Amino acid sequence: MAKIAYILLCHKDPDAIIKQAERLTAVGDYMSIHFDASADLAHFTRIRDALKNNPHVTFATKRIKCGWGEWSLVEATLYAVQAAVDAFPRATHFYMLSGDCMSIKSAEYAHRFLDDNDADFIESFDYFESDWIKTGWKEERLIYRHWFNERAQKKRFYAMFELQKRLGLKREIPADIQVMIGSQWWCLRRQTIEWVLDFCKRRRDVMRFFRTTWIPDETFFQTLVRHLIPEEQIRSRNLTFLMFTDYGMPVTFYNDHYDLLLSQDYLFARKISADAQDLKRRLGLLYAAKGVQFQISNEGRSLFNFLTGRGRIGRRFSTRFWETESTLGRERELLIVVCKKWHVAKRVLERIRQTTNVPAIEYVFNEEDTPLPALGGIEKTLGKRTRHRRALMRMLFDYFETDKLIVCMDPANLDLLNDFASDRSTTRILEIECSFTDEYLIGHAMRVGLAGDQTSMETLQRLLPTIRNDMVFESDAIRDAQFENHGRMREQALPEDNADVLAQFLNIAPEKAREIAQTDYLFAD
């Protein structure tokens, strides 16, 4: 059975560290602690005194003053790992933690998971080929030497960089290693850890190289594990659930995140707020619990992106010049059916096809598999269609040899509606207003990845008002745009009223509009 030695790097909050060590070792696991040498000595003394009689706790043989982005973080980890290897011969796995991490599964679940998955869990992506580094330096982290801390000694850090650059003092990466990159929060098997420690003793050239790289905690273990362990024994993911905001800051979890955290496919979460005392209490009790069943839905990231994205209104980037300067054609009419329930819009479109000769295309900017003619590649992906929307629509007008065309769009496509409405052509918008039951909203949340089959009903009930308000917001935004030719069909309206709107939208006789509006299954779910 798996026994975990937790490698804890910390620098503050001694009481929380003591509680964390007591919780994680109470069920038979181990912990090796490195407490930053630049932190308060009294705090370290308090931790040592509180845990000195716990045989499942040890301390790094040497304390290092750690700085973000420095080799010192890796060095501190190695000292803590070596102490754990020496002190705990029965440990089968070594798991990196910080003081802000907490378990989100029981020890029973964690041990069974590691027993069932004989592999090393560490994010490990090719340094140069992957897009793990989104902005900032890439090659410069490795080929130049970095002796100073960018945050503490900014002037010296950049002065030495510029000097090396001017003098052409680039260096070679050790020839036999492929540099990898990933999160520092890993879980490695004992044999892997022993091989890494042995490699550190044998390969002083590699150690010298990494000592002066920048942010080596994202590359050192990731590179060595890939170098030493067969690929099929590595899972390129970590077991600690963490997310970052658009500004590169870690997302913090609070008391009301308990259910969300338990449903994620991870063993730990980072980072837990120091003020989330109830969350810490509940998670602490959970680790020692027996027989707990976990429903894994794993919707955390998509849910976070959905909720944080509500505040972003408008375009992030300016429209490309070939879009703004082009036009669909002054004599053409683009008719847009806007509806959140795509199946309702598709039924309306089908009835329009049956009663008119106007070409109609379904959600061309929302569904990748919308049937489209071959248009030279512009139709291949949603990204291309959206970027070159006017060019795409001109080609569709030409393909169908028509001056009137109908398409469907989701209400979220406000930027597209604004763009087409500003064109020299005539644009008419038909918004179809539907009723949304709780059952429909739950299904919608599952379809778009905000929830899964295992998401608890409590979580869904808390999510439903946000989804409902989001749909109301999208409809209000369309109305606030005050489009010149904007009509609305309503599920709750009489067929006669909807027929009037349809007749104006399609510019057809009232009798034909009534044929469409009186279809009894239009709004059925």
Side-chain angles (χ1 to χ4, degrees), residues 386-397:
T386 302
R387 282 196 302 274
H388 310 299
R389 58 256 200 176
R390 292 197 185 185
L392 174 70
M393 298 314 296
R394 283 201 311 274
M395 295 172 78
L396 288 172
F397 274 111

Side-chain angles (χ1 to χ4, degrees), residues 199-233:
F199 183 92
C200 293
K201 294 173 184 175
R202 289 188 295 103
R203 293 295 301 271
R204 308 312 298 174
D205 58 324
V206 175
M207 298 296 284
R208 283 194 301 272
F209 171 77
F210 277 107
R211 278 181 183 276
T212 51
T213 59
W214 182 232
I215 322 182
D217 55 304
E218 293 179 352
T219 55
F220 180 77
F221 287 97
Q222 297 77 358
T223 299
L224 266 58
V225 171
R226 280 284 176 180
H227 183 76
L228 297 168
I229 304 300
E231 184 175 358
E232 61 271 15
Q233 295 182 32

Side-chain angles (χ1 to χ4, degrees), residues 84-103:
V85 169
D86 295 340
F88 310 126
R90 295 181 62 197
T92 60
H93 293 78
F94 295 76
Y95 196 124
M96 268 287 292
L97 291 177
S98 75
D100 297 321
C101 297
M102 283 205 70
S103 60

